[in-house]
Amino acid sequence: MFPRLLRIVALLSGRIFVGPALNRNEAWITSAINFTTDVFEGGRKIKMWHPLLRPIAQYFIPEIRKIHAHHRRVYKLLLPTLKARAEAERKPGYQKPDDLIQWLMDRATAWEELDFKVQASTLLVISLAAIHTSTMAVTHAVYDLAARPEYLEPLREEITQVLAAEGGFTKRAMMRMRKLDSFLKESQRHSPFALIGFLQKVVHPITLPSGPLLPAGTIFCVPNSVLDREAGIWSDPHAFDGFRYSTLRDSSPDEGRKHAFSEVSQDSMHFGYGGHTCPGRFFATNEIKLIIAHLVLGFDLGLREKGVRPRNVEFALQVLPDPTVEVLMRRRG
């Protein structure tokens, strides 16, 4: 299931990142998907070398060579588009496309405008931050739905009603799907992207209100896995309640937005917090909702072992969905 969802997310993200002319190009899809794994594996391997030897060691690490190959491939793919748009912008009446390529071109500095390699590499780096994290969130949610099929019908009812009222998958329609939003946030609470969040480095000494001093150079984080199970924050914290957050939003309208999937608070830092909050979380939220909504409307979901949610794979500080799990899907009539 995971490889299929990874490709779906890459296609969907690519539609906004590089537009319809390139998002289904197999070379782009391959680099967009594999760049992330090569970066993390290459980074792990090069850290095993002494810093003075790393400039030489990079040539002996296959993943580092692949990273350079990804950059060359994406640059070659995007160069004709970047050149064509740069030329077209000089003509009166030109209608700019609405995609990430154009957004980067519009915000480029004078130096970057002359260096298309920078713009191509930036697109690749953004894909690193977007594709695998969203795929993990979608996969966790699919596993939770397959293990708890009783949520399928209430979600279908909400999605169908909202789409009828809003005339399709509009931005407003996405915001009105509160039960779906709640299910995704509860799935995230039980299966976060990482066990920790809000990773920070102290630049100037800080004395905490409770007394301890954090000297400059201290690295600290927030234990998301502890906050997610804190009885003082959540009622029955170990239970999976897919509509936990929609109930909270309905019962306390003044704090309703606080419990949305894309929002951050001191109780929920999965997207970061403060000035380092993930800027792409709204895009990711709508992307994840689109995928799950289409699956819920189009298929019945289940697992070979009914009612047993597949165990996650914890690697270092990450919480990964088991990529070997098979989800049973039956197209609805």
Side-chain angles (χ1 to χ4, degrees), residues 6 55 117 217 274:
L6 183 59
K117 282 187 177 180

Side-chain angles (χ1 to χ4, degrees), residues 35-51:
F35 180 69
T36 301
T37 54
D38 289 333
V39 165
F40 282 98
E41 184 62 15
R44 183 188 69 82
K45 289 184 177 180
I46 204 165
K47 287 178 183 177
M48 299 169 67
W49 291 73
H50 190 282

Side-chain angles (χ1 to χ4, degrees), residues 154-166:
L155 288 174
R156 284 181 189 132
E157 183 178 348
E158 177 189 67
I159 295 167
T160 302
Q161 290 177 353
V162 169
L163 292 180
E166 298 296 333

Side-chain angles (χ1 to χ4, degrees), residues 155-333:
L155 288 174
R156 284 181 189 132
E157 183 178 348
E158 177 189 67
I159 295 167
T160 302
Q161 290 177 353
V162 169
L163 292 180
E166 298 296 333
F169 284 99
T170 63
K171 184 177 180 180
R172 178 177 165 81
M174 295 298 179
M175 294 176 64
R176 288 186 59 188
M177 295 179 187
R178 288 194 170 193
K179 289 183 178 179
L180 177 57
D181 190 276
S182 175
F183 190 93
L184 293 175
K185 195 171 182 72
E186 181 74 347
S187 177
Q188 182 189 62
R189 188 177 73 86
H190 282 264
S191 302
F193 170 70
L195 298 173
I196 64 169
F198 196 60
L199 189 64
Q200 302 287 311
K201 182 176 182 179
V202 177
V203 179
H204 303 289
I206 299 174
T207 300
L208 300 179
S210 56
L213 171 67
L214 299 181
T218 302
I219 295 176
F220 69 92
C221 62
V222 172
N224 283 335
S225 56
V226 175
L227 288 176
D228 290 337
R229 300 294 193 276
E230 177 56 54
I233 301 175
W234 313 114
S235 61
D236 198 4
H238 295 283
F240 187 99
D241 180 359
F243 299 146
R244 177 189 302 273
Y245 297 100
S246 57
T247 301
L248 286 171
R249 294 177 73 176
D250 292 339
S251 62
S252 54
D254 293 339
E255 292 190 343
R257 192 62 196 164
K258 169 186 174 181
H259 300 296
F261 179 61
S262 60
E263 292 301 302
V264 299
S265 68
Q266 293 182 5
D267 301 332
S268 180
M269 300 188 187
H270 299 293
F271 285 114
Y273 193 67
H276 297 279
T277 304
C278 172
R281 65 192 186 279
F282 303 107
F283 169 77
T285 296
N286 286 334
E287 180 180 53
I288 294 166
K289 283 184 178 180
L290 271 173
I291 295 171
I292 297 299
H294 277 285
L295 287 174
V296 168
L297 291 177
F299 298 90
D300 290 321
L301 304 174
L303 297 166
R304 294 190 185 279
E305 193 172 355
K306 292 184 179 180
V308 179
R309 206 276 192 190
R311 292 176 61 88
N312 293 325
V313 179
E314 293 186 6
F315 174 75
L317 295 172
Q318 289 188 303
V319 182
L320 309 174
D322 185 347
T324 66
V325 170
E326 292 183 349
V327 175
L328 304 180
M329 302 178 66
R330 180 176 59 197
R331 188 178 295 277
R332 299 178 69 228

